[in-house]
Amino acid sequence: MADEMEIWFERGLTDGLPVVPPTRERVERMLQATLRSREALVAEVPPNFGRATVEKLAVNAVMAGCRPEYFPVLLAVVEAACDPRFNLHGQSGTTNATSPLIIVNGPVRRRIGINCAAGVFGPGFRAYCIGEHEEVSPWEPLHVERGRAPEESTVTVFPGEGPFIINDHLSREAPQLAASLGWSAAGVWNHKSFPLYGHTLWVIGPEHAKTIGAGGWSKQDLKRHLFETVRRRVRDLEPGPDGAETGRLRNLGESDPEALVPKFPSVDEIMVVVAGGTAGRFSAVVPGWMGGEIGAHPVTRVIEP
C-alpha cells in the first residue's frame, strides 16, 4: 500500500515536512471554526496571485497541522500578508533570506495557546508565530500602538530575516542597556546597503523591558534613543581602501566627513515588542527586509470570527 505522506511529497505539494491528508471531514471541521462562507475570497496570493478562498485555505490549514481554533488567526494572517504594503511578491522572489514573522496580540493569545514567554522563538508549539508577552510589559502592546483597542485580537506580519540574540546581564540603567541593544543590532547590517534598509524589530525580553521601563523610558523614548545614537561618521563609511569601497553613501547627500549617518531610516521604522521568559536578560533583534517604495512594510489585521 502506498504511503500517503510520501505521495504528497512526490507530487511537490509539501514544504518537505509531513502533511496531514485533507479529508473532507477534517476540512469541514476547519470550516466550522469561522463564520465566513467557504466561497468567500480572502486574498489573491503572490507571486502567482492564486485565489485563496476560505475553503482552499481550510484545505491548506489541515495539511499544515493547523487546529480549527487557529483558523480565524490564519485567515487574518493571509489577509495581512497579501496586503500590497507587505509586498509578499517581492519577498517570495528575492534571493535574500527573508520570511514573514507573525506577531499575535490580544486575548486570542491565551485562548489558543500562542507562546509569548519562555522559548518564544523555540520549539514546542505548533504555530510558527510569536505572541507579545503583554502581561509583563511596561508599555502599551503593539496592536494598541498601531491603533487597535486592547480588547481586540490582532496579527501583525513583519518582513524580517532571522532573529539575532542580544545578551546583556550587566546593564542596570536604561541608557546602558539601550546602547547594548542598538550597537549589537548595528553589527547585523551592512552599511553598504543602508539605503535599502526597512523596518527593524526589537523583541525585548521582560527583564530588559523592566530595566528600561524603570528608568522612566516609554517605548517611544527607546526608539528615539536608538535612532539618534546608533550612527557612524561619514569618514568611517566613505568610499576608499579603508572605507565602504562603494559610492552608495553619496545617495545620502552627506559631504561633511564628520556628519553622523544613522543606522536606521527613521524612528517610525523601529518596532518594539516584549516577549520571552521572565528569567534571563536576553533580547533579540529581527532585521527587516528592504524598505522604501519598492520594499515591504509591516501590516496589522484584526482577527475576525
Side-chain angles (χ1 to χ4, degrees):
M1 181 177 178
D3 189 318
E4 57 188 5
M5 299 295 183
E6 293 297 331
I7 291 175
W8 288 106
F9 179 76
E10 291 169 2
R11 291 179 178 178
L13 297 176
T14 84
D15 57 4
L17 296 174
V19 297
V20 178
T23 63
R24 174 52 61 184
E25 181 183 7
R26 288 172 176 148
V27 172
E28 289 300 321
R29 281 203 302 266
M30 191 69 67
L31 288 169
Q32 290 172 10
T34 179
L35 299 177
R36 306 191 198 194
S37 68
R38 67 178 67 221
E39 298 86 8
L41 179 65
V42 177
E44 294 182 345
V45 183
N48 293 327
F49 295 98
R51 291 175 56 81
T53 63
V54 171
E55 185 173 38
K56 287 182 178 179
L57 290 174
V59 171
N60 281 270
V62 169
M63 293 174 67
C66 184
R67 296 172 65 95
E69 56 264 37
Y70 301 167
F71 195 46
V73 180
L74 183 147
L75 295 175
V77 169
V78 172
E79 288 179 329
C82 293
D83 187 307
R85 292 174 297 167
F86 189 69
N87 193 2
L88 184 59
H89 189 285
Q91 294 179 69
S92 300
T94 182
T95 54
N96 191 11
T98 183
S99 178
L101 171 63
I102 302 162
I103 306 165
V104 182
N105 280 99
V108 74
R109 297 168 303 125
R110 300 302 185 190
R111 190 162 66 244
I112 67 173
I114 297 292
N115 189 17
C116 309
V120 70
F121 281 116
F125 289 77
R126 292 175 68 163
Y128 179 64
C129 56
I130 69 171
E132 183 163 12
H133 204 163
E134 300 175 17
E135 293 76 9
V136 298
S137 174
W139 306 307
E140 73 276 17
L142 180 65
H143 69 310
V144 173
E145 183 184 5
R146 294 176 68 84
R148 308 310 311 187
E151 64 273 14
E152 290 183 298
S153 292
T154 68
V155 296
T156 298
V157 288
F158 180 85
E161 301 175 4
F164 175 82
I165 303 302
I166 301 169
N167 177 347
D168 184 342
H169 281 70
L170 299 179
S171 295
R172 292 296 183 268
E173 301 293 335
Q176 299 170 347
L177 182 52
S180 295
L181 298 175
W183 287 105
S184 294
V188 178
W189 291 273
N190 180 347
H191 58 262
K192 300 178 186 180
S193 301
F194 176 84
L196 300 180
Y197 290 162
H199 286 70
T200 303
L201 171 68
W202 266 270
V203 181
I204 308 293
E207 285 202 57
H208 281 172
K210 183 178 180 180
T211 296
I212 298 170
W217 285 31
S218 67
K219 190 185 293 188
Q220 193 67 13
D221 292 332
L222 175 59
K223 294 180 181 182
R224 190 179 303 110
H225 183 86
L226 291 169
F227 175 70
E228 293 176 352
T229 61
V230 184
R231 302 183 176 210
R232 292 184 64 188
R233 290 182 174 82
V234 168
R235 63 177 169 82
D236 296 327
L237 304 175
E238 62 187 358
D242 299 320
E245 298 180 358
T246 175
R248 184 163 297 208
L249 280 171
R250 297 171 189 164
N251 297 336
L252 300 177
E254 294 288 0
S255 57
D256 180 0
E258 298 301 315
L260 292 173
V261 178
K263 283 291 182 181
F264 314 113
S266 71
V267 174
D268 293 337
E269 288 164 290
I270 293 175
M271 296 176 61
V272 172
V273 299
V274 175
T278 55
R281 300 179 67 82
F282 300 95
S283 292
V285 62
V286 182
W289 187 58
M290 184 169 61
E293 294 183 0
I294 63 173
H297 302 267
V299 174
T300 298
R301 281 286 186 276
V302 173
I303 299 168
E304 300 177 353

